Amino acid sequence: MVVLELEESSLLLDEKLLRFMDQLELLEEKRAALNSLIEQGWFSMAKARYSMGNKRVSALQYASEIEPLVCVHARTLDNGEVDFCTERSKQKARDEVGKEARSIEDIGPQEEGVRRRNKPKNNIPEKKEGEEASSEKAPEVTPIRKSDQNPQQDPLKWFGILVPQTLKQAQSSFTQVIELSAEIATLQTAILNSRQELKQCRKDKPILQEVSATRLEKLTD
Amino acid sequence: MSARGKLIAVIGDEDTCTGFLLGGVGELNKNRKPNFLVVEKETSVAEIEETFKSFLARSDIGIVLINQFIAEMIRHAIDGHLESIPAVLEIPSKEHPYDASKDSILRRARGMFCAEDFR
């Protein structure tokens, strides 16, 4: 029985070792891809900087308020490994909703032909032309909406309205890097977990070997 | 984002931070500290280490990306981090390519084998 357990333990150890080696190989591949993508991103950024100017692509252009567009979900599995996956927010949908709301207000029928330029603030919520007022005031309202949208705006807009294609390519490269980073983080935790399991198996194996040896001695006696 | 996920923090030189912020990982507002640190020539090792430890202490950060040459400055702090979350990833910088032999994770994985194991 002990001999069988020893054999099973050896097979398990071999299996874990092979799995560990496979994980290391996969990590090396993903690392190479990550490094290559990062370098590509830097190269595109350098080309954008060349066409736009040194200071135009730098930390000076960061917005004063930034909201993250991508987050990572970490899920701990039963075996102790952690699975990381990224989620990107649908920032475009929000812009489109904003545009639709504005366009509805613009298209809405005007009840009165008279336009008041300087309206008292009390009248605005009471009247039905409140919608008109907001549509009339659309140009004034827009800056407020812009500041609401600013934190979640596309970071490309920090660098200007018309940015070169190279900067968009840089953004695309770094977007892929972010997704790959989550995969590498998952692999790293898996590798450390495999290492722990291997360590444990290697500790158990000599104990089983000793027990098996003493039982064999008893049988021969 | 459903069930507010965790952030990705970045400690790197200007180009690295700009790139990842372009990718959309950055957070900066009056209420919370930023999740990135732009390391310049004047940035002290103490500041880098303090920022790194603050990222580890935050429960809303899932991954910390750090240039490897900056990681070398605070190697003791990185080696001391044994939890799975946040995960620490060392990335290359423009002037310092990635060196697998310096990576904390790979050093831990490599260090488990000795000559006797292969007899």
Side-chain angles (χ1 to χ4, degrees), chain A:
Chain A
M1 276 295 287
V2 178
V3 173
L4 277 172
E5 278 178 17
L6 187 62
E7 271 181 28
E8 277 175 17
S9 167
S10 299
L11 282 170
L12 191 64
L13 198 55
D14 289 341
E15 202 180 294
K16 285 185 191 293
L17 185 63
L18 285 170
R19 184 168 169 255
F20 180 70
M21 293 298 181
D22 286 339
Q23 284 170 341
L24 279 176
E25 191 180 353
L26 189 60
L27 179 68
E28 203 181 342
E29 280 172 23
K30 287 192 186 278
R31 271 273 173 206
L34 182 92
N35 295 342
S36 165
L37 275 169
I38 290 181
E39 284 163 18
Q40 208 174 299
W42 284 327
F43 190 49
S44 301
M45 254 168 50
K47 284 196 261 187
R49 196 174 277 137
Y50 181 74
S51 63
M52 293 170 74
N54 235 356
K55 300 288 180 190
R56 292 289 307 277
V57 184
S58 69
L60 296 168
Q61 303 301 321
Y62 296 172
S64 53
E65 277 196 27
I66 311 170
E67 223 178 274
L69 300 177
V70 63
C71 69
V72 64
H73 294 281
R75 190 171 54 106
T76 308
L77 306 172
D78 294 334
N79 55 7
E81 291 177 18
V82 180
D83 181 42
F84 292 93
C85 68
T86 54
E87 184 193 347
R88 193 159 274 276
S89 67
K90 292 176 186 175
Q91 141 217 11
K92 279 182 185 176
R94 193 175 158 180
D95 292 341
E96 282 169 4
V97 166
K99 280 179 190 171
E100 279 175 9
R102 258 182 278 149
S103 68
I104 287 167
E105 288 167 14
D106 288 338
I107 291 165
Q110 290 192 0
E111 292 178 7
E112 286 185 13
V114 178
R115 289 172 63 198
R116 292 186 185 181
R117 291 194 182 277
N118 297 317
K119 282 190 177 177
K121 285 181 187 177
N122 296 333
N123 292 337
I124 293 165
E126 291 170 357
K127 294 180 182 177
K128 282 186 181 177
E129 34 185 274
E131 286 178 15
E132 280 180 68
S134 65
S135 71
E136 286 173 4
K137 282 187 177 178
E140 294 173 20
V141 168
T142 311
I144 297 167
R145 285 188 179 175
K146 272 189 179 172
S147 68
D148 283 343
Q149 290 177 350
N150 262 345
Q152 253 220 350
Q153 70 171 177
D154 186 356
L156 271 178
K157 293 184 181 169
W158 304 340
F159 303 95
I161 296 166
L162 287 173
V163 295
Q165 193 61 28
T166 44
L167 199 61
K168 293 179 185 174
Q169 286 168 358
Q171 186 183 48
S172 166
S173 298
F174 277 99
T175 303
Q176 292 175 65
V177 166
I178 289 162
E179 287 171 17
L180 209 48
S181 301
E183 292 174 25
I184 290 176
T186 306
L187 253 180
Q188 280 185 176
T189 61
I191 283 170
L192 291 175
N193 195 56
S194 299
R195 174 181 169 269
Q196 277 304 110
E197 287 177 0
L198 267 171
K199 241 181 159 180
Q200 193 55 45
C201 282
R202 279 166 54 207
K203 274 183 188 172
D204 296 340
K205 192 179 172 183
I207 297 169
L208 282 170
Q209 281 175 335
E210 272 182 38
V211 170
S212 153
T214 46
R215 285 201 182 171
L216 276 171
E217 277 178 17
K218 283 180 185 175
L219 283 171
T220 50
D221 290 341

Side-chain angles (χ1 to χ4, degrees), chain B:
Chain B
M1 291 174 210
S2 58
R4 180 105 183 146
K6 293 180 187 285
L7 299 171
I8 298 174
V10 184
I11 301 176
D13 53 23
E14 190 181 26
D15 277 355
T16 303
C17 288
T18 304
F20 281 102
L21 260 60
L22 259 179
V25 304
E27 186 189 63
L28 178 64
N29 57 49
K30 297 168 205 171
N31 305 323
R32 290 148 64 86
K33 287 188 174 177
N35 67 332
F36 59 94
L37 173 69
V38 180
V39 173
E40 288 157 346
K41 289 176 191 173
E42 304 85 34
T43 312
S44 66
V45 177
E47 190 184 341
I48 297 169
E49 188 173 345
E50 191 191 322
T51 305
F52 177 72
K53 287 184 175 171
S54 72
F55 287 163
L56 295 185
R58 283 172 66 166
S59 58
D60 61 343
I61 288 179
I63 299 176
V64 178
L65 299 167
I66 181 168
N67 283 138
Q68 196 171 51
F69 81 96
I70 299 172
E72 279 295 295
M73 296 179 199
I74 55 167
R75 183 56 68 194
H76 55 283
I78 294 181
D79 284 345
H81 172 64
L82 301 174
E83 285 85 32
S84 308
I85 302 171
V88 178
L89 248 78
E90 294 177 32
I91 55 177
S93 62
K94 275 164 79 171
E95 286 146 24
H96 301 87
Y98 176 75
D99 185 352
S101 64
K102 293 181 184 172
D103 192 310
S104 283
I105 304 292
L106 293 181
R107 269 173 31 199
R108 257 185 257 167
R110 211 179 40 185
M112 60 173 289
F113 293 114
C114 60
E116 286 184 2
D117 295 329
F118 297 104
R119 281 188 194 163

